[in-house]
């Protein structure tokens, strides 16, 4: 069965990630080995998942409560950059107990596989998830070679 | 009475078993209060109205939602910051809140719950008489 969990939640992946997170919590991001130059701390808004198939690369940006008009999405070769701003409606005469939700502007940059076509990007925003589909170039798709 | 307790224990065991096998995400929330009541706002990206379940059991409020994510066949993960699609978080309410009149709305993956206070328990200003 093709579930979200089998694709994004693999076991080895999970354990390594848990270790990384625990280390992060203990020492902060800088302590464990080299960090990807454009990576951000755990729990940053918005969180991103990237998946790839032969035909395309799918990017999921978990950005609840966003005005899609505030989004600016750009591709420079295979580097995807997403900027935007989330404004929260805050009532005037209310006392807050918790403010855990992100507010303000954000910028995320993420390197996609090298063979994506920056001209073929399709973006949809539904239920707080921005889903980008980036097609891969024809030449690098695996071809079936027939034996004669 | 005894039966009821057993049932409840079994139920909580089931819930625990379920949450152990399938890790869930804890949605970040804002909670504020004004004279009318308490407002709770939770980020649950990917959760639509149909896939959201809000339960009140006594003074316990449970938010539970499953995100629907479209994935093409044959996709493999390259990078994942979100590892589950199930959101779950519970809160304990207090007696002056009118749980029968909770109003819930979901828009763009954001849940807004308005929990009113009972009319007789809304704060009243107490005048101090100068004697």
């Amino acid at each position: 069965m093709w579930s979200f969990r089998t694709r994004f939640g693999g076991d080895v992946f999970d354990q390594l990630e848990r270790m990384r997170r625990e280390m992060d919590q203990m020492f902060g991001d800088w302590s464990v080995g080299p960090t990807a130059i454009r990576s951000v701390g755990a729990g940053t808004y918005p969180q991103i998942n990237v998946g790839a198939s032969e035909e395309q690369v799918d990017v999921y940006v978990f950005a609840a409560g966003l005005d899609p008009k505030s989004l600016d999405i750009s591709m420079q070769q295979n580097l995807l950059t997403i900027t935007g701003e989330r404004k929260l409606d805050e009532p005037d005469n209310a006392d807050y107990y918790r403010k855990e939700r992100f507010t303000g502007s954000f910028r995320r940059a993420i390197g996609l596989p090298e063979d994506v076509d920056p001209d073929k990007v399709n973006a949809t925003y539904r239920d707080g998830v921005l889903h980008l589909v980036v097609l891969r170039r024809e030449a690098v798709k695996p071809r079936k070679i027939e034996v004669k | 009475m005894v039966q009821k307790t057993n049932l409840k224990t079994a139920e909580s065991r089931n819930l625990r078993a379920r949450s152990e096998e399938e890790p869930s995400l804890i949605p970040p929330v804002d909670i504020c209060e004004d004279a009318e009541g308490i407002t709770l706002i939770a980020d649950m990206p990917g959760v639509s109205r149909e896939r959201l379940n809000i339960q009140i059991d006594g003074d316990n409020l449970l938010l539970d939602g499953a995100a629907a994510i479209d994935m093409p066949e044959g996709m493999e993960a390259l990078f994942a910051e979100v590892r589950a699609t199930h959101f779950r978080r519970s809160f304990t309410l207090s007696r002056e809140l009118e749980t029968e009149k909770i109003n819930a709305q979901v828009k763009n993956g954001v849940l807004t719950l308005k929990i009113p206070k009972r009319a007789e328990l809304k704060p009243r200003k107490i005048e101090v008489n100068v004697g």
Side-chain angles (χ1 to χ4, degrees):
Chain A
M1 197 185 91
W2 287 103
S3 73
F4 185 87
R5 178 118 184 92
T6 50
R7 277 183 268 185
F8 284 120
D11 261 357
V12 183
F13 215 22
D14 242 16
Q15 279 168 24
L16 286 173
E17 177 61 19
R18 193 177 312 127
M19 266 172 65
R20 188 190 70 79
R21 227 179 290 152
E22 280 167 8
M23 297 290 268
D24 279 359
Q25 279 169 2
M26 279 191 282
F27 306 109
D29 281 340
W30 39 267
S31 65
V32 231
T35 307
I37 196 76
R38 294 188 178 89
S39 69
V40 296
T44 306
Y45 180 95
Q47 290 183 305
I48 295 178
N49 279 13
V50 182
S53 56
E54 285 176 17
E55 308 286 319
Q56 65 193 51
V57 174
D58 288 75
V59 181
Y60 302 91
V61 184
F62 296 84
L66 203 67
D67 177 4
K69 283 179 214 131
S70 87
L71 275 171
D72 185 15
I73 305 163
S74 70
M75 285 276 286
Q76 187 189 18
Q77 305 278 29
N78 65 325
L79 181 69
L80 170 71
T81 308
I82 301 166
T83 59
E85 187 180 6
R86 181 160 89 156
K87 287 181 183 149
L88 301 181
D89 292 331
E90 292 185 359
D92 294 331
N93 295 313
D95 298 315
Y96 273 87
Y97 300 113
R98 283 174 188 272
K99 272 194 180 185
E100 299 168 353
R101 299 168 63 234
F102 173 88
T103 178
S105 53
F106 60 84
R107 178 177 188 280
R108 297 272 340 237
I110 194 158
L112 300 181
E114 305 231 325
D115 60 299
V116 295
D117 189 338
D119 297 323
K120 290 184 178 148
V121 188
N122 182 34
T124 47
Y125 183 71
R126 206 185 73 195
D127 292 332
V129 178
L130 172 70
H131 182 188
L132 300 170
V133 177
V134 191
L135 295 186
R136 308 182 91 153
R137 287 206 183 83
E138 211 63 42
V140 289
K141 282 180 199 163
R143 269 169 305 169
K144 199 166 181 170
I145 294 159
E146 271 180 53
V147 181
K148 284 176 186 164
Chain B
M1 196 65 204
V2 177
Q3 238 178 349
K4 201 178 168 190
T5 320
N6 284 344
L7 211 115
K8 209 167 177 184
T9 325
E11 200 173 283
S12 64
R13 210 182 296 129
N14 279 343
L15 281 177
R16 213 180 308 134
R18 203 176 113 201
S19 62
E20 265 168 30
E21 71 192 37
E22 193 191 329
S24 54
L25 305 164
I26 300 168
V29 297
D30 285 353
I31 299 176
C32 64
E33 176 167 6
D34 60 17
E36 296 305 309
I38 286 186
T39 304
L40 184 155
I41 305 174
D43 281 352
M44 299 167 103
V47 178
S48 58
R49 196 168 59 96
E50 298 76 36
R51 297 171 67 99
L52 180 69
N53 182 16
I54 302 165
Q55 275 177 43
I56 292 159
D57 180 10
D59 62 352
N60 189 41
L61 166 71
L62 174 71
L63 311 180
D64 183 300
I69 307 292
D70 293 337
M71 290 179 290
E73 276 299 311
M75 190 182 87
E76 283 174 36
L78 290 183
F79 177 74
E81 290 172 345
V82 179
R83 298 296 172 81
T85 52
H86 206 102
F87 290 93
R88 202 179 175 86
R89 191 160 179 181
S90 63
F91 298 90
T92 309
L93 302 172
S94 57
R95 276 187 48 228
E96 78 279 10
L97 297 170
E98 200 153 15
T99 50
E100 309 80 47
K101 291 193 179 163
I102 292 183
N103 178 292
Q105 276 189 5
V106 191
K107 195 188 168 197
N108 289 340
V110 177
L111 166 69
T112 305
L113 277 186
K114 288 195 187 290
I115 314 168
K117 288 180 199 170
R118 293 186 199 282
E120 67 270 23
L121 291 167
K122 275 181 194 162
R124 267 166 302 172
K125 183 126 176 134
I126 293 159
E127 296 291 332
V128 178
N129 298 317
V130 181

